[in-house]
């Protein structure tokens, strides 16, 4: 294998191993989990090992790619239970995608022969950023989302230099796969299509340039439109909901309403919060972006920078707008695209030292840029880019300790740096967050110890996903993805259900199917069950559990 081919393989292998090691430490050793990662593990598990295994059990609230990627791994969970019980399948998924993102960004540096010093600093600063490390290791959807946006950005940068139509095709595929990872990447697809249309229109002459601009934009946007249509129509056919994320009682809109809002009361508060989140992730990015844009404008090489900025900025802009409108939560991870954006801007701070590769160079390819008039100015730009990338690391690390601005991440410090004798309220809150899902693990172990037959425990996966994912016997649960779930819910004793897992009928618990059918179940058993025991939750923002035993004897054979 040539050195040119060996480098990306080596980069991927090194960082995949690094992120996987961190993920194993957090999940297997420390039992530190993020809810969305566990939820996707349980969704993938239900496709293969539920009472009623079928592909649509993967669910239609969230887009499916992160769960589907885990299916081949979860197939081995009977042999390696940690793949589901410790969410190791999700860790492998995120580690692979984040290592892929590092490899793609390395590819941008290789395409343009960026000086070695700047490349090493910028790429290392990205790979070692604490938010990148955490989300490369925790099984969440941020890693694949960053990978697909970075992949698209690299292809658009190559396209504006080479006018190679193949790059547009690949960029479109990357965006479609990105949409199947997270809905907000639809904004990146729209931004990329708009950029391509503008560039094509401006650099082509003649009366047909409008049609050509539309064709090029369609090449980028069509795959995402197709993914959206297929996913939405499939959801409508199976669930009767075209956009379940927005209309379902399990969707994001319902979750925000049940949780009491997104966190900011006014537009001004929301915008200030978003600005703070962006500055935590890359405090010097605005200044570097203006400097690099000015330098590239003078060199008449603005398009490569625009190609990178538009796709990342579209994702960030979508988050700012949706949070300002109260449509999403104020999570630091939603602004994570600022980190790879900083890296790409840093790599584009200096002129390309090499003609960008192509498969079929187009008529409107840009010739190689002339050498810079001032080597000193070029070195100053490179230094500014390097400083911007490096400074983000300590600032982000400090910002991640804030319960206000990093409500999901601030607990990580209590996992890595334990202070068993501390009475600091912030630290104690962090320990509570770190204990999230420990109660659900105990419930799963208790139910497993009973050696129940299949279909013995009825639960909704609003909160029950963590119990089901942890269990060694997922078929003992009756869950909403089972086709006979409504019948079992209406008459659990008749179908041999022995236990009901109940949560309070408040907050998100209002959408729990058991509470919808039996509103007083948690309080008094609703006349159909008797309380076995109660499990106060040790985690943050999670409900206390009550296990009820269904009244009446199970049918013969149960």
């Amino acid at each position: 294998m040539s050195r040119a081919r060996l480098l990306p393989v080596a980069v991927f292998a090194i960082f995949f191993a690094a992120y996987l090691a961190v993920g194993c430490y957090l999940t297997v050793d420390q039992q530190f989990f993020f809810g969305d990662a566990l939820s996707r593990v349980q969704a993938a598990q239900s496709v293969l090992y539920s009472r009623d295994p079928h592909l649509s059990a993967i669910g239609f609230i969230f887009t499916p790619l992160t769960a589907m990627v885990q299916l081949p791994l979860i197939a081995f969970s009977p042999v390696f239970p940690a793949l589901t019980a410790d969410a190791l399948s999700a860790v492998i998924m995120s580690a692979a995608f984040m290592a892929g993102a590092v490899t793609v960004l390395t590819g941008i540096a290789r395409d343009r022969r960026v000086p070695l010093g700047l490349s090493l600093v910028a790429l290392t600063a990205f790979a070692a950023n604490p938010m990148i490390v955490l989300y490369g290791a925790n099984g969440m959807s941020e890693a694949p989302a960053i990978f697909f946006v970075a992949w698209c950005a690299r292809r658009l940068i190559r396209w504006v230099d080479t006018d190679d139509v193949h790059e547009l095709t690949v960029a479109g595929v990357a965006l479609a796969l990105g949409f199947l990872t997270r809905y907000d990447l639809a904004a990146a697809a729209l931004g990329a299509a708009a950029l391509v249309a503008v560039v094509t229109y401006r650099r082509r002459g003649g009366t047909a340039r409008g049609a050509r601009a539309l064709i090029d934009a369609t090449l980028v946007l069509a795959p995402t439109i197709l993914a959206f249509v297929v996913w939405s129509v499939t959801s409508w056919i199976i669930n009767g909901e075209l956009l379940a994320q927005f209309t379902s009682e399990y969707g994001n809109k319902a979750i925000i309403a049940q949780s009491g809002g997104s966190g900011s009361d006014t537009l001004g508060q929301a915008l200030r919060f978003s600005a703070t989140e962006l500055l935590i992730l890359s405090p010097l990015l605005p200044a570097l972006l203006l400097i690099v844009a000015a330098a590239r404008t003078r060199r008449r090489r603005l398009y490569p920078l625009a190609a990178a900025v538009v796709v990342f900025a579209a994702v960030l802009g979508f988050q700012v707008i949706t949070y300002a409108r109260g449509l999403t939560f104020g999570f630091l991870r939603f602004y994570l695209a600022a980190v790879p954006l900083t890296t790409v801007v840093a790599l584009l701070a200096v002129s390309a030292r090499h003609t960008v590769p192509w498969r079929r160079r187009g008529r409107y390819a840009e010739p190689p840029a002339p050498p810079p008039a001032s080597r000193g100015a070029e070195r100053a730009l490179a230094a500014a880019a390097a400083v911007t990338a490096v400074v983000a690391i300590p600032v982000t690390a400090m910002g991640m300790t804030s319960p206000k601005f990093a409500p999901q991440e601030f607990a990580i410090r209590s996992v890595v740096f334990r202070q068993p004798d501390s009475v600091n309220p912030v630290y104690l809150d962090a320990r509570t967050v770190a204990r999230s899902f420990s109660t659900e693990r105990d419930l799963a172990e208790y139910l497993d110890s009973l050696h129940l037959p299949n279909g013995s425990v009825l639960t909704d996966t609003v909160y029950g996903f963590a119990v089901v994912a942890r269990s060694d016997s997922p078929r003992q649960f009756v869950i909403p993805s089972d086709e006979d779930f409504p019948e079992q819910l209406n008459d659990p004793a008749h179908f041999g259900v022995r236990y009901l897992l109940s949560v309070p009928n408040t907050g998100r618990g209002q959408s729990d199917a058991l509470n919808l059918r039996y509103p007083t179940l948690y309080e008094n058993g609703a006349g159909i069950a008797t309380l076995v025991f109660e499990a106060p939750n040790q985690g943050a923002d999670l409900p206390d559990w009550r296990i009820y035993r269904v009244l009446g004897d199970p049918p013969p054979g149960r």
Side-chain angles (χ1 to χ4, degrees):
M1 183 181 293
S2 66
R3 291 179 60 186
R5 293 182 180 274
L6 182 60
L7 178 61
V9 174
V11 168
F12 177 85
I14 290 169
F15 288 102
F16 173 69
Y19 296 139
L20 181 60
V22 175
C24 289
Y25 168 74
L26 291 177
T27 59
V28 179
D29 186 65
Q30 297 297 316
Q31 295 292 291
F32 180 70
F33 300 100
F34 281 65
D36 284 357
L38 276 177
S39 178
R40 286 171 172 82
V41 169
Q42 187 273 318
Q45 180 193 53
S46 67
V47 171
L48 300 176
Y49 295 116
S50 65
R51 289 176 53 255
D52 182 19
H54 55 283
L55 185 58
S56 63
I58 206 164
F60 292 90
I61 304 301
F62 301 102
T63 44
L65 190 139
T66 50
M68 293 188 71
V69 167
Q70 296 179 56
L71 287 177
L73 297 169
I74 286 178
F76 293 96
S77 61
V79 180
F80 303 105
L83 287 167
T84 52
D86 296 321
L88 196 55
S89 63
V91 171
I92 294 171
M93 178 276 298
S94 64
F97 275 112
M98 197 62 86
V102 177
T103 306
V104 169
L105 295 175
T106 302
I108 295 176
R110 291 172 56 233
D111 290 342
R112 310 179 67 80
R113 300 276 178 90
V114 175
L116 182 60
L118 176 57
S119 296
L120 287 175
V121 171
L123 294 169
T124 302
F126 170 80
N129 184 286
M131 282 289 288
I132 295 298
V133 174
L134 177 59
Y135 283 92
N138 66 4
M140 297 282 277
S141 62
E142 273 64 31
I146 287 176
F147 169 77
F148 288 122
V149 178
W151 187 17
C152 171
R154 182 188 181 191
R155 292 298 170 171
L156 289 181
I157 291 170
R158 289 169 62 130
W159 172 74
V160 296
D161 280 340
T162 66
D163 192 32
D164 185 349
V165 70
H166 296 92
E167 307 293 355
L168 294 183
T169 303
V170 176
V173 171
L175 290 167
L177 293 173
F179 169 78
L180 292 175
T181 302
R182 286 177 53 136
Y183 288 107
D184 50 354
L185 265 68
L190 292 173
L195 170 85
V196 168
V198 170
V199 172
T200 299
Y201 186 85
R202 291 192 62 184
R203 68 185 181 185
R204 290 178 181 269
T207 57
R209 63 180 184 174
R212 187 66 224 188
L214 180 61
I215 291 172
D216 284 355
T218 301
L219 283 174
V220 174
L221 190 58
T224 301
I225 294 175
L226 178 62
F228 171 80
V229 170
V230 170
W231 177 245
S232 300
V233 170
T234 303
S235 174
W236 178 63
I237 291 172
I238 294 176
N239 286 343
E241 293 181 292
L242 194 64
L243 299 171
Q245 169 71 291
F246 306 101
T247 60
S248 170
E249 65 271 19
Y250 300 116
N252 199 60
K253 183 177 180 181
I255 291 173
I256 291 174
Q258 294 156 7
S259 302
S262 62
S264 289
D265 296 327
T266 67
L267 176 61
Q269 286 181 347
L271 293 177
R272 285 193 296 272
F273 183 90
S274 293
T276 303
E277 299 282 70
L278 291 170
L279 290 175
I280 286 173
L281 292 168
S282 188
L284 299 181
L285 175 59
L288 179 67
L289 189 56
L290 289 174
I291 294 171
V292 174
R296 285 194 157 271
T297 299
R298 288 195 300 271
R299 297 200 302 262
R300 297 185 179 181
R301 290 294 185 275
L302 190 59
Y303 283 158
L305 180 65
V309 169
V310 162
V311 288
F312 287 108
V315 176
L316 295 171
F318 178 87
Q319 173 57 30
V320 172
I321 292 171
T322 52
Y323 180 66
R325 296 186 60 190
L327 300 176
T328 189
F329 292 105
F331 293 154
L332 184 60
R333 64 186 175 92
F334 289 161
Y335 302 86
L336 193 55
V339 180
L341 174 58
T342 301
T343 304
V344 177
V345 173
L347 294 175
L348 294 174
V350 297
S351 303
R353 299 294 196 273
H354 185 262
T355 302
V356 175
W358 70 83
R359 295 185 64 184
R360 186 196 65 79
R361 187 167 179 156
R363 181 186 305 176
Y364 298 96
E366 295 284 347
S374 171
R375 289 291 182 183
E378 190 90 341
R379 293 191 188 98
L381 274 173
V387 169
T388 299
V390 171
V391 164
I393 293 178
V395 174
T396 299
M398 183 62 67
M400 288 173 66
T401 65
S402 168
K404 177 179 179 180
F405 294 108
Q408 294 185 302
E409 296 84 11
F410 83 103
I412 191 67
R413 186 173 65 169
S414 71
V415 175
V416 179
F417 305 105
R418 290 185 177 272
Q419 304 173 37
D421 299 324
S422 176
V423 294
N424 184 299
V426 175
Y427 179 83
L428 295 178
D429 287 345
R431 288 303 305 156
T432 302
V433 174
R435 287 194 299 268
S436 293
F437 307 111
S438 59
T439 303
E440 287 73 13
R441 295 195 295 274
D442 292 341
L443 286 176
E445 291 171 7
Y446 167 75
L447 292 169
D448 288 348
S449 71
L450 300 179
H451 304 291
L452 299 168
N454 293 348
S456 295
V457 183
L458 186 69
T459 183
D460 199 335
T461 49
V462 171
Y463 286 113
F465 64 85
V467 180
V468 178
R470 184 70 176 194
S471 173
D472 292 332
S473 181
R475 291 188 176 94
Q476 70 183 308
F477 297 97
V478 181
I479 56 178
S481 62
D482 297 340
E483 290 187 2
D484 61 351
F485 180 79
E487 290 83 1
Q488 302 240 9
L489 178 64
N490 283 326
D491 194 353
H494 174 75
F495 288 97
V497 173
R498 299 186 184 183
Y499 295 98
L500 307 175
L501 293 187
S502 178
V503 297
N505 195 4
T506 58
R508 289 194 62 193
Q510 296 175 71
S511 65
D512 186 286
L514 279 72
N515 285 331
L516 291 173
R517 178 63 181 84
Y518 306 106
T520 63
L521 175 63
Y522 184 82
E523 297 301 326
N524 54 33
I528 65 166
T530 183
L531 182 66
V532 176
F533 70 81
E534 182 173 5
N537 211 301
Q538 301 179 61
D541 301 322
L542 291 169
D544 296 335
W545 290 89
R546 288 181 178 175
I547 296 183
Y548 281 91
R549 183 175 180 91
V550 177
L551 296 174
D553 296 326
R558 296 286 298 183

